[in-house]
mmCIF file of all heavy atoms in Angstrom:
data_model
loop_
_atom_site.group_PDB
_atom_site.id
_atom_site.type_symbol
_atom_site.label_atom_id
_atom_site.label_comp_id
_atom_site.label_asym_id
_atom_site.label_seq_id
_atom_site.Cartn_x
_atom_site.Cartn_y
_atom_site.Cartn_z
ATOM 1 N N PRO A 55 -0.767 13.894 3.175
ATOM 2 C CA PRO A 55 -1.814 14.575 3.934
ATOM 3 C C PRO A 55 -3.054 14.751 3.066
ATOM 4 O O PRO A 55 -2.948 15.019 1.871
ATOM 5 C CB PRO A 55 -1.192 15.921 4.300
ATOM 6 C CG PRO A 55 -0.043 16.093 3.378
ATOM 7 C CD PRO A 55 0.394 14.727 2.944
ATOM 8 N N GLY A 56 -4.185 14.546 3.642
ATOM 9 C CA GLY A 56 -5.417 14.704 2.879
ATOM 10 C C GLY A 56 -5.828 13.457 2.146
ATOM 11 O O GLY A 56 -6.724 13.486 1.317
ATOM 12 N N GLY A 57 -5.156 12.322 2.420
ATOM 13 C CA GLY A 57 -5.555 11.063 1.790
ATOM 14 C C GLY A 57 -5.246 11.032 0.313
ATOM 15 O O GLY A 57 -4.210 11.496 -0.137
ATOM 16 N N GLU A 58 -6.185 10.512 -0.455
ATOM 17 C CA GLU A 58 -5.986 10.286 -1.887
ATOM 18 C C GLU A 58 -5.589 11.551 -2.628
ATOM 19 O O GLU A 58 -4.758 11.524 -3.524
ATOM 20 C CB GLU A 58 -7.273 9.708 -2.474
ATOM 21 C CG GLU A 58 -7.192 9.387 -3.931
ATOM 22 C CD GLU A 58 -8.498 8.843 -4.462
ATOM 23 O OE1 GLU A 58 -9.034 7.895 -3.895
ATOM 24 O OE2 GLU A 58 -8.964 9.408 -5.478
ATOM 25 N N ALA A 59 -6.176 12.676 -2.261
ATOM 26 C CA ALA A 59 -5.899 13.919 -2.982
ATOM 27 C C ALA A 59 -4.423 14.301 -2.917
ATOM 28 O O ALA A 59 -3.884 14.887 -3.845
ATOM 29 C CB ALA A 59 -6.755 15.046 -2.420
ATOM 30 N N GLY A 60 -3.755 13.954 -1.810
ATOM 31 C CA GLY A 60 -2.346 14.281 -1.671
ATOM 32 C C GLY A 60 -1.439 13.163 -2.138
ATOM 33 O O GLY A 60 -0.235 13.321 -2.188
ATOM 34 N N LEU A 61 -2.029 12.009 -2.483
ATOM 35 C CA LEU A 61 -1.283 10.792 -2.786
ATOM 36 C C LEU A 61 -0.209 10.577 -1.726
ATOM 37 O O LEU A 61 -0.539 10.584 -0.548
ATOM 38 C CB LEU A 61 -0.768 10.806 -4.213
ATOM 39 C CG LEU A 61 -1.867 10.682 -5.283
ATOM 40 C CD1 LEU A 61 -1.268 10.575 -6.669
ATOM 41 C CD2 LEU A 61 -2.805 9.551 -5.030
ATOM 42 N N GLY A 62 1.060 10.372 -2.085
ATOM 43 C CA GLY A 62 2.031 10.104 -1.030
ATOM 44 C C GLY A 62 3.343 9.560 -1.538
ATOM 45 O O GLY A 62 3.741 9.832 -2.665
ATOM 46 N N ASP A 63 3.996 8.767 -0.689
ATOM 47 C CA ASP A 63 5.336 8.260 -0.966
ATOM 48 C C ASP A 63 5.376 6.746 -0.824
ATOM 49 O O ASP A 63 4.638 6.183 -0.007
ATOM 50 C CB ASP A 63 6.344 8.853 0.022
ATOM 51 C CG ASP A 63 6.342 10.366 0.026
ATOM 52 O OD1 ASP A 63 6.213 10.966 -1.050
ATOM 53 O OD2 ASP A 63 6.486 10.952 1.116
ATOM 54 N N MET A 64 6.258 6.128 -1.592
ATOM 55 C CA MET A 64 6.488 4.690 -1.499
ATOM 56 C C MET A 64 7.986 4.440 -1.460
ATOM 57 O O MET A 64 8.751 5.142 -2.122
ATOM 58 C CB MET A 64 5.910 3.966 -2.718
ATOM 59 C CG MET A 64 4.418 4.087 -2.856
ATOM 60 S SD MET A 64 3.806 3.232 -4.307
ATOM 61 C CE MET A 64 4.520 4.184 -5.623
ATOM 62 N N VAL A 65 8.382 3.428 -0.701
ATOM 63 C CA VAL A 65 9.784 3.031 -0.614
ATOM 64 C C VAL A 65 9.843 1.530 -0.869
ATOM 65 O O VAL A 65 9.163 0.757 -0.191
ATOM 66 C CB VAL A 65 10.375 3.358 0.776
ATOM 67 C CG1 VAL A 65 11.845 2.955 0.827
ATOM 68 C CG2 VAL A 65 10.201 4.831 1.117
ATOM 69 N N ILE A 66 10.628 1.136 -1.845
ATOM 70 C CA ILE A 66 10.790 -0.276 -2.192
ATOM 71 C C ILE A 66 12.215 -0.706 -1.900
ATOM 72 O O ILE A 66 13.168 -0.016 -2.281
ATOM 73 C CB ILE A 66 10.469 -0.534 -3.686
ATOM 74 C CG1 ILE A 66 8.990 -0.284 -3.969
ATOM 75 C CG2 ILE A 66 10.872 -1.954 -4.096
ATOM 76 C CD1 ILE A 66 8.611 -0.401 -5.440
#
Side-chain angles (χ1 to χ4, degrees):
E58 182 181 308
L61 291 185
D63 304 321
M64 297 179 294
V65 181
I66 294 175

